[in-house]
C-alpha cells in the first residue's frame, strides 16, 4: 500500500529561508534569465484579473444616424421585422442569410470548438461589415460609429450563452474592435447602460416584434403547404414573395396608437404623468386586441395565395421539422437548405414556428411559479400564525400565475386571428401542458437548455396524433441539449414502433451525407404515404380518375384556401384526407360510381 509523505512545517520554513538568501536568489535569477533566453519564454508578472470589455452604448441622440442591424431568422421574419422597426423610426438593415463563406470567416476569426450557429452568425456579421468596408467604401471607424447589431442571447448551458463574447472576439480579430453588439436576453431584457436607450423596449416594440414573428411563421407554413401541391412550379413562390412585400409595407406604415395629442391625453399629462402613462398603455393594449391593422391585409394575402392552383389528389409524405432553434429555423447553408431539399424530393414540410418558442417561455414562467408555490426563501421568515404574510405570499403567487395565463391567452388569440385570416391552413400553437404530459416520462420537463423536453414531445405529438409521416430533427454538430434529446428519443422510438424519426447534425460541411440520410428515411415515409393513399382509395366506391374528374368539374376544390375536414385521425396524408372528402361530397351530390352506372346501362 502506497504511503504519502509530507514535509514537516519546520523543514519547509528552513527551505524558504535558504531560498531568500541573497546568494541563492542571485543564482536562481541568473538561471531563470538564461532559461528565458534559450527557450524564448517570459517570467514577467501577469495580471490575471479579468476586466469586462468597455461597451460602447447606443443612446437616443444617436438614433437618427445609426443603422440597426439584425439577422439570424428566416428572410421572411427579418423582412417583416425591418418594417416594424422602420415604423418605430429606426434606420435598419438586414444581414443576409449566412452562407458557407460566412461559416469559414467565423472559424477564421472566432474560437475553436464552437457550434455551427455560432460560426455562421458571427461570420455572417463580419462578412457584412467587410462588404461595407471593401465594396461600399466605408471606413472602419465610420462603420463602428454608424451601426449597431441586435441579436439574441441566453444564459443557456451551451455555447449559445457565449454569443456576446464570440461576437466581440471575432469582430476584434477581423479589425472591427469596438463595434456595438446588443443582446436581447431571453431573461432580463436588453443589456444597456443607464443612459436613455437608443432602442426603446416598450409595448409598441414588443407588440410589433411579436406580430412580425407570428406573421412570418404563418406565411412560411402556408407557403409550404401550398408549394407541395402546386400545378404550376414557382407559382407559390411568386405569390409568397408578393405577399411578403405587401405585409412589409403594411407593417412599415403601421402607426402606434397614441393618447398624446388628444383632449383626454393632454388633460391627464398636464395633471398626472403616471395616470397618463397608464392610460396610454391601456389604449395601446386595446388597439392591439381590437384593431384589424394586420388581419384585413392578411385576408388580402389569402386571396393572393388562393390564385395558385393545386392538385391535392396525390400521395406525399408530411415531414415535421424540429430540433435546435437556429438549425430548424434558418433557410440556407446553415441547415443544408433542408426545406428546399425536402420539397424537391416530393415532401410536404411543416416548419416549426417561432411562436412555439415564445409559448414555451410563457409556460416556463407559469410552471416555475407553480413549482415554487409554498416555498419561502428563509424558512423562519413566516411563522404558522402570521396569516397576513401567508396571504400576501398567496396573492403574489396567484398574481404571477394570472399574468402568465393572460399573456399566454392573448398571445394565442392573436396568433389564431392571423391563422384564420390567412385561410386557416396553418396549425395552431401546440398546447404546452400537453407537451409536458407527453414528454415528461422520457425527458424531465424541468431540465432547461435548448428546447428542453419539446423535441421529444413534438416527436410524439406529430407522429402519434397522425399529423406527420416523419419527424426530422435538425441540430448543430455537438449541440448539448439536442444530443440529450436524441438519447431520450431512442426510448420514444422503441415505445412508438410506427414512427419515423431522423436526427441530423448540421455543420458547415457534410451536406451530401446529410441529404443522403434524409433520402433514405424519406423513402420509408413515401412508401408509408403511398400505402395509406392506396388503402383509402380501395375503400372508396369511386376510382382515382372519378375523383379527379369531379374536382375538375368543381374548380373551387383546386384552390389552396378550400377547407375540408379530416375525420379519420389514422389518416395522415393530405392526399388521402382530400380523397375521403371528395368521395363524401360526391355521395352527398348523388354521384353514382362508374361501375354502378355501367351495370345500370
Amino acid at each position: 500500500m502506497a504511503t504519502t509523505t509530507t514535509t514537516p512545517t519546520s523543514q519547509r520554513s528552513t527551505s524558504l529561508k535558504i531560498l531568500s538568501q541573497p546568494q541563492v536568489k542571485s543564482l536562481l535569477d541568473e538561471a531563470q534569465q538564461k532559461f528565458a533566453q534559450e527557450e524564448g519564454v517570459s517570467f514577467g508578472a501577469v495580471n490575471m484579473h479579468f476586466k469586462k470589455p468597455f461597451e460602447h452604448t447606443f443612446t437616443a441622440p444617436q438614433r437618427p444616424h445609426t443603422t440597426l442591424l439584425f439577422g439570424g431568422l428566416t428572410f421572411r421574419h427579418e423582412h417583416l421585422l425591418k418594417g416594424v422597426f422602420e415604423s418605430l423610426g429606426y434606420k435598419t438593415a438586414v444581414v443576409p442569410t449566412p452562407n458557407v463563406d460566412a461559416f469559414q470567416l467565423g472559424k477564421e476569426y472566432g474560437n475553436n470548438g464552437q457550434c455551427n450557429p455560432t460560426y455562421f452568425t458571427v461570420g455572417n456579421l463580419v462578412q457584412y461589415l467587410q462588404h461595407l468596408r471593401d465594396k461600399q467604401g466605408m471606413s472602419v471607424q465610420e462603420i463602428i460609429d454608424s451601426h449597431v447589431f441586435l441579436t439574441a442571447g441566453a444564459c443557456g448551458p451551451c455555447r449559445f450563452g457565449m454569443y456576446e463574447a464570440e461576437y466581440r472576439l471575432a469582430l476584434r480579430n477581423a479589425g472591427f474592435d469596438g463595434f456595438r453588439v446588443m443582446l436581447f436576453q431571453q431573461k432580463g431584457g436588453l443589456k444597456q447602460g443607464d443612459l436613455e436607450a437608443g432602442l426603446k423596449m416598450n409595448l409598441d416594440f414588443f407588440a410589433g416584434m411579436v406580430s412580425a414573428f407570428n406573421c412570418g411563421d404563418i406565411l412560411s407554413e402556408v407557403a409550404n403547404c401550398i408549394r407541395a401541391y402546386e400545378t404550376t412550379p414557382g407559382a407559390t413562390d411568386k405569390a409568397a414573395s408578393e405577399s411578403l412585400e405587401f405585409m412589409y409595407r403594411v407593417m412599415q406604415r403601421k402607426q402606434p396608437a397614441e393618447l398624446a395629442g388628444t383632449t383626454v391625453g393632454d388633460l391627464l399629462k398636464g395633471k398626472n404623468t403616471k395616470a397618463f402613462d397608464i392610460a396610454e398603455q391601456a389604449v395601446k393594449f386595446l388597439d392591439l386586441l381590437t384593431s384589424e391593422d394586420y388581419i384585413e391585409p392578411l385576408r388580402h394575402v389569402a386571396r393572393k395565395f388562393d390564385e395558385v392552383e393545386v392538385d391535392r389528389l396525390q400521395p406525399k409524405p408530411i415531414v415535421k421539422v424540429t430540433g435546435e432553434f437556429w438549425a430548424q429555423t434558418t433557410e440556407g447553408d446553415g441547415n443544408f437548405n433542408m426545406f428546399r431539399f425536402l420539397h424537391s424530393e416530393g415532401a410536404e414540410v411543416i416548419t416549426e414556428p417561432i411562436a412555439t418558442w415564445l409559448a414555451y417561455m410563457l409556460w416556463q414562467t407559469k410552471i416555475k411559479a407553480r413549482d415554487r408555490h409554498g416555498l419561502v426563501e428563509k424558512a423562519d421568515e413566516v411563522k404558522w400564525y402570521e396569516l397576513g404574510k401567508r396571504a400576501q405570499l398567496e396573492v403574489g403567487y396567484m398574481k404571477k400565475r394570472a399574468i402568465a395565463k393572460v399573456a399566454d391567452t392573448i398571445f394565442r388569440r392573436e396568433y389564431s386571428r392571423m391563422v384564420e385570416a390567412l385561410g386557416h391552413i396553418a396549425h395552431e400553437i401546440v398546447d404546452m401542458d400537453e407537451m409536458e404530459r407527453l414528454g415528461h416520462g422520457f425527458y424531465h420537463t424541468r431540465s432547461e437548455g435548448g428546447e428542453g423536453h419539446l423535441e421529444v414531445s413534438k416527436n410524439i405529438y406529430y407522429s402519434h396524433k397522425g399529423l406527420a409521416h416523419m419527424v426530422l430533427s435538425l441540430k448543430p454538430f455537438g449541440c448539448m441539449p439536442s444530443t440529450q434529446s436524441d438519447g431520450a428519443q431512442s426510448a420514444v422510438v422503441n415505445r412508438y414502433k410506427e414512427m419515423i424519426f431522423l436526427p441530423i447534425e448540421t455543420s458547415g460541411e457534410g451536406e451530401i451525407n446529410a441529404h443522403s440520410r434524409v433520402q433514405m428515411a424519406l423513402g420509408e415515409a413515401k412508401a408509408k404515404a403511398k400505402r395509406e393513399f392506396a388503402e383509402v382509395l380501395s375503400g372508396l366506391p369511386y376510382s382515382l380518375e372519378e375523383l379527379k374528374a369531379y374536382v375538375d368539374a368543381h374548380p373551387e376544390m383546386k384552390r389552396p384556401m378550400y377547407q375540408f375536414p379530416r375525420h379519420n385521425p389514422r389518416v395522415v396524408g393530405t392526399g388521402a384526407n382530400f380523397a375521403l372528402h371528395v368521395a363524401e361530397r360526391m355521395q352527398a351530390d348523388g354521384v353514382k360510381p362508374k361501375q354502378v352506372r355501367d351495370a345500370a346501362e
Side-chain angles (χ1 to χ4, degrees):
M1 179 176 178
T3 59
T4 303
T5 59
T6 59
T7 304
T9 304
S10 58
Q11 186 176 339
R12 290 200 302 270
S13 301
T14 303
S15 300
L16 290 173
K17 289 179 180 178
I18 294 173
L19 291 174
S20 62
Q21 292 178 2
Q23 300 90 336
V24 176
K25 191 173 184 304
S26 176
L27 290 173
L28 289 174
D29 290 342
E30 183 180 339
Q32 188 181 80
Q33 185 177 2
K34 182 179 178 181
F35 182 79
Q37 291 175 349
E38 291 176 353
E39 302 297 332
V41 298
S42 173
F43 290 91
V46 178
N47 183 10
M48 300 299 291
H49 183 69
F50 172 78
K51 291 184 179 180
K52 187 177 181 180
F54 175 76
E55 296 185 20
H56 299 269
T57 55
F58 173 41
T59 59
Q62 299 170 340
R63 197 179 300 146
H65 56 268
T66 301
T67 300
L68 183 65
L69 303 177
F70 57 93
L73 301 172
T74 74
F75 67 91
R76 296 183 187 88
H77 292 89
E78 291 164 354
H79 198 51
L80 295 174
L81 276 176
K82 186 175 187 293
V84 169
F85 288 144
E86 288 173 349
S87 74
L88 298 175
Y90 299 104
K91 291 178 61 178
T92 62
V94 177
V95 179
T97 301
N99 52 26
V100 174
D101 290 339
F103 171 80
Q104 297 297 342
L105 282 176
K107 294 189 72 173
E108 178 181 353
Y109 293 117
N111 271 321
N112 292 327
Q114 297 300 310
C115 58
N116 67 301
T118 310
Y119 283 139
F120 271 104
T121 53
V122 170
N124 197 38
L125 177 59
V126 171
Q127 186 181 57
Y128 183 80
L129 299 185
Q130 289 179 341
H131 171 80
L132 295 179
R133 182 193 63 193
D134 302 336
K135 302 297 183 181
Q136 297 191 14
M138 297 180 68
S139 67
V140 172
Q141 193 58 48
E142 186 180 358
I143 293 171
I144 293 173
D145 292 341
S146 61
H147 293 80
V148 61
F149 185 70
L150 177 66
T151 187
C155 56
C158 64
R159 289 155 289 194
F160 187 45
M162 300 298 293
Y163 267 25
E164 180 183 17
E166 290 307 314
Y167 273 109
R168 295 188 188 283
L169 174 65
L171 288 166
R172 183 170 67 250
N173 291 342
F176 297 97
D177 192 19
F179 187 88
R180 288 168 292 180
V181 176
M182 293 194 304
L183 285 187
F184 180 76
Q185 293 290 99
Q186 294 174 358
K187 300 175 183 178
L190 191 74
K191 294 174 65 176
Q192 294 196 105
D194 296 331
L195 300 174
E196 184 183 359
L199 194 63
K200 289 185 177 180
M201 308 296 286
N202 53 20
L203 183 58
D204 292 328
F205 176 87
F206 283 110
M209 188 169 62
V210 172
S211 295
F213 286 161
N214 290 348
C215 187
D217 286 342
I218 298 167
L219 281 173
S220 295
E221 186 170 352
V222 168
N224 282 322
C225 289
I226 298 174
R227 187 183 295 110
Y229 301 97
E230 63 184 7
T231 58
T232 304
T236 305
D237 287 342
K238 182 175 182 295
S241 178
E242 292 174 355
S243 299
L244 178 64
E245 187 62 28
F246 174 74
M247 289 307 300
Y248 161 72
R249 296 298 179 190
V250 168
M251 293 190 169
Q252 185 187 47
R253 292 192 296 265
K254 172 77 165 66
Q255 294 299 313
E258 301 285 355
L259 187 59
T262 65
T263 304
V264 176
D266 291 341
L267 287 173
L268 280 175
K269 197 169 186 179
K271 293 182 178 181
N272 190 325
T273 304
K274 185 176 181 180
F276 170 80
D277 291 339
I278 295 173
E280 186 171 57
Q281 294 301 312
V283 168
K284 292 179 181 295
F285 194 66
L286 289 172
D287 178 72
L288 173 67
L289 297 180
T290 59
S291 74
E292 294 204 343
D293 293 337
Y294 299 139
I295 304 304
E296 186 56 40
L298 283 173
R299 294 191 183 107
H300 172 78
V301 169
R303 292 190 289 271
K304 171 66 68 176
F305 273 117
D306 210 31
E307 296 173 2
V308 179
E309 184 179 278
V310 295
D311 174 19
R312 294 189 180 95
L313 284 174
Q314 49 183 317
K316 292 206 170 191
I318 299 178
V319 179
K320 170 62 183 175
V321 177
T322 66
E324 184 268 340
F325 179 81
W326 187 85
Q328 72 180 358
T329 303
T330 189
E331 296 182 358
D333 293 343
N335 63 5
F336 304 139
N337 297 279
M338 192 59 71
F339 303 137
R340 289 291 177 179
F341 176 74
L342 289 169
H343 170 66
S344 68
E345 291 293 315
E348 177 184 348
V349 182
I350 304 177
T351 53
E352 186 60 41
I354 295 176
T356 302
W357 178 254
L358 299 178
Y360 176 55
M361 289 193 290
L362 289 172
W363 176 83
Q364 283 183 314
T365 301
K366 180 184 71 173
I367 213 69
K368 285 179 180 178
R370 190 183 73 184
D371 289 346
R372 294 186 62 82
H373 184 218
L375 299 178
V376 183
E377 294 273 339
K378 297 177 181 178
D380 60 345
E381 270 191 4
V382 181
K383 307 299 182 184
W384 66 268
Y385 53 80
E386 293 179 316
L387 301 182
K389 287 186 178 180
R390 289 188 173 276
Q392 188 176 4
L393 290 172
E394 191 67 22
V395 169
Y397 162 71
M398 294 175 65
K399 183 179 178 181
K400 285 183 181 179
R401 292 272 296 183
I403 291 174
K405 176 65 176 176
V406 169
D408 184 68
T409 301
I410 292 173
F411 175 60
R412 289 174 181 274
R413 174 186 179 273
E414 293 305 298
Y415 194 87
S416 295
R417 290 177 70 199
M418 287 190 174
V419 168
E420 185 176 356
L422 201 46
H424 217 276
I425 294 178
H427 293 80
E428 300 288 346
I429 304 173
V430 293
D431 183 351
M432 286 298 149
D433 290 329
E434 185 174 10
M435 292 291 104
E436 178 188 20
R437 181 180 60 80
L438 290 173
H440 190 78
F442 300 95
Y443 193 105
H444 202 291
T445 52
R446 301 308 185 267
S447 297
E448 296 186 8
E451 291 208 341
H453 64 281
L454 288 186
E455 287 190 51
V456 170
S457 299
K458 284 185 286 190
N459 186 17
I460 301 171
Y461 180 82
Y462 282 91
S463 299
H464 192 56
K465 284 186 171 289
L467 299 175
H469 295 100
M470 167 182 163
V471 175
L472 174 64
S473 177
L474 301 175
K475 71 280 307 289
F477 175 76
C479 177
M480 186 183 76
S482 279
T483 301
Q484 292 176 179
S485 293
D486 286 349
Q489 296 283 15
S490 59
V492 175
V493 174
N494 188 56
R495 174 77 63 85
Y496 302 96
K497 304 289 186 181
E498 76 285 355
M499 69 170 45
I500 303 173
F501 171 73
L502 176 66
I504 291 290
E505 287 191 329
T506 63
S507 63
E509 48 284 299
E511 180 173 333
I512 295 176
N513 179 59
H515 284 180
S516 177
R517 290 188 60 206
V518 172
Q519 279 180 321
M520 288 190 288
L522 194 58
E524 188 179 348
K526 285 180 180 178
K528 191 175 182 180
K530 289 178 180 178
R531 285 196 304 270
E532 175 187 75
F533 191 70
E535 289 172 4
V536 166
L537 289 179
S538 66
L540 297 178
Y542 307 101
S543 66
L544 179 59
E545 289 71 22
E546 290 176 279
L547 297 176
K548 288 185 175 182
Y550 184 84
V551 172
D552 289 338
H554 298 80
E556 74 276 7
M557 301 181 78
K558 294 183 177 182
R559 304 270 68 87
M561 301 304 164
Y562 177 78
Q563 302 292 317
F564 60 95
R566 301 187 178 217
H567 297 302
N568 192 338
R570 290 176 295 178
V571 177
V572 180
T574 299
N577 277 286
F578 188 62
L580 288 171
H581 169 69
V582 175
E584 185 180 70
R585 182 166 162 176
M586 291 173 71
Q587 288 176 326
D589 287 349
V591 179
K592 294 181 180 180
K594 184 177 183 298
Q595 57 186 2
V596 174
R597 295 198 306 270
D598 292 343
E601 294 175 356

